[in-house]
Amino acid sequence: DVKVTQSSRYLVKRTGEKVFLECVQDMDHENMFWYRQDPGLGLRLIYFSYDVKMKEKGDIPEGYSVSREKKERFSLILESASTNQTSMYLCASIPGQANQPQHFGDGTRLSIL
Amino acid sequence: GDSVTQMEGPVTLSEEAFLTINCTYTATGYPSLFWYVQYPGEGLQLLLKATKADDKGSNKGFEATYRKETTSFHLEKGSVQVSDSAVYFCALSSGTYKYIFGTGTRLKVLA
């Protein structure tokens, strides 16, 4: 069974800090995603990666960057955290073909004070 | 662009009641459709899927039928349990790597 592991379940950081959220998947999936989930807004795509070192912006990339140095690991970086980035962050992966169901991690609930 | 609309919650039901959560979509082409469930404090888990018109996805007593003529994918369960309390998301994928999610419907089942 596919396992997507996010490094932290809960994280509290301060405004202006550089924040790293890590995601690892164990099924050799080519494609990985970062979403943020906010009440009433559903899931919004931040970034998507379709291969090592390859990335595409999603719907809300501002204030975020990503890194994919190894196939199994996809990192989300908040360059200078702000309070409006307080949210639940979800990582997901799928194998090479499109239209496959996504496999999600348990999420990181991030609070920026 | 593509979109998913699902009924707003919360939906509160008594145990053993019949459940329907409505989901309609707008998409070009022939999307795949999904229902995900999110239990408190967890990520999303795939509940069921359908990849073409008239397909019926089913799992754990939940069912949904891909209706192209009405662009709908309503989730149903004949008899809900307290353990079904969760947030349910309808989603589509239309041939690219972009997935569109509804805003989620919270279900609360009372004993």
Side-chain angles (χ1 to χ4, degrees):
Chain A
D1 213 12
V2 177
K3 183 76 174 170
V4 179
T5 303
Q6 294 185 229
S7 54
S8 304
R9 294 295 298 274
Y10 301 93
L11 208 52
V12 180
K13 296 291 182 180
R14 298 216 172 268
T15 304
E17 282 193 66
K18 191 168 185 176
V19 181
F20 294 84
L21 303 183
E22 307 288 344
C23 175
V24 177
Q25 50 92 5
D26 65 358
M27 282 300 291
D28 205 34
H29 284 176
E30 283 82 359
N31 307 286
M32 298 185 74
F33 306 77
W34 274 108
Y35 294 92
R36 65 177 282 176
Q37 180 184 6
D38 299 289
L41 297 178
L43 275 68
R44 293 180 290 167
L45 181 65
I46 305 172
Y47 268 97
F48 157 62
S49 170
Y50 52 93
D51 203 348
V52 174
K53 298 190 187 295
M54 307 304 289
K55 62 186 179 185
E56 283 192 13
K57 292 180 179 179
D59 301 315
I60 51 164
E62 297 77 19
Y64 303 94
S65 62
V66 289
S67 172
R68 188 141 181 229
E69 297 296 319
K70 293 185 177 181
K71 192 174 186 180
E72 67 270 18
R73 185 181 296 271
F74 191 33
S75 303
L76 180 69
I77 303 154
L78 285 66
E79 298 291 344
S80 178
S82 64
T83 54
N84 63 13
Q85 292 177 309
T86 292
S87 187
M88 169 73 98
Y89 290 87
L90 292 168
C91 176
S93 72
I94 59 168
Q97 302 155 308
N99 284 5
Q100 299 299 308
Q102 292 175 301
H103 299 266
F104 284 87
D106 283 338
T108 296
R109 186 163 293 282
L110 175 64
S111 296
I112 307 297
L113 305 179
Chain B
D2 296 353
S3 67
V4 172
T5 303
Q6 61 182 106
M7 61 189 289
E8 290 197 21
V11 174
T12 303
L13 295 172
S14 298
E15 207 165 23
E16 299 183 3
F18 185 87
L19 169 71
T20 301
I21 300 178
N22 290 337
C23 172
T24 57
Y25 67 90
T26 304
T28 53
Y30 302 95
S32 292
L33 302 174
F34 310 94
W35 276 102
Y36 289 88
V37 59
Q38 184 179 36
Y39 298 103
E42 298 183 10
L44 277 67
Q45 303 174 24
L46 178 69
L47 183 58
L48 52 84
K49 67 176 182 179
T51 57
K52 61 183 187 298
D54 300 324
D55 265 3
K56 177 185 279 189
S58 62
N59 185 26
K60 300 181 182 179
F62 291 90
E63 292 183 341
T65 300
Y66 189 143
R67 302 281 188 205
K68 192 170 187 302
E69 64 276 11
T70 55
T71 62
S72 65
F73 192 53
H74 304 321
L75 183 67
E76 297 182 335
K77 187 176 185 184
S79 176
V80 293
Q81 306 300 311
V82 172
S83 57
D84 294 327
S85 298
V87 181
Y88 293 81
F89 290 90
C90 184
L92 71 81
S93 173
S94 54
T96 66
Y97 294 98
K98 182 147 187 176
Y99 291 75
I100 307 297
F101 290 82
T103 54
T105 302
R106 182 175 300 277
L107 170 66
K108 185 172 183 179
V109 180
L110 305 176

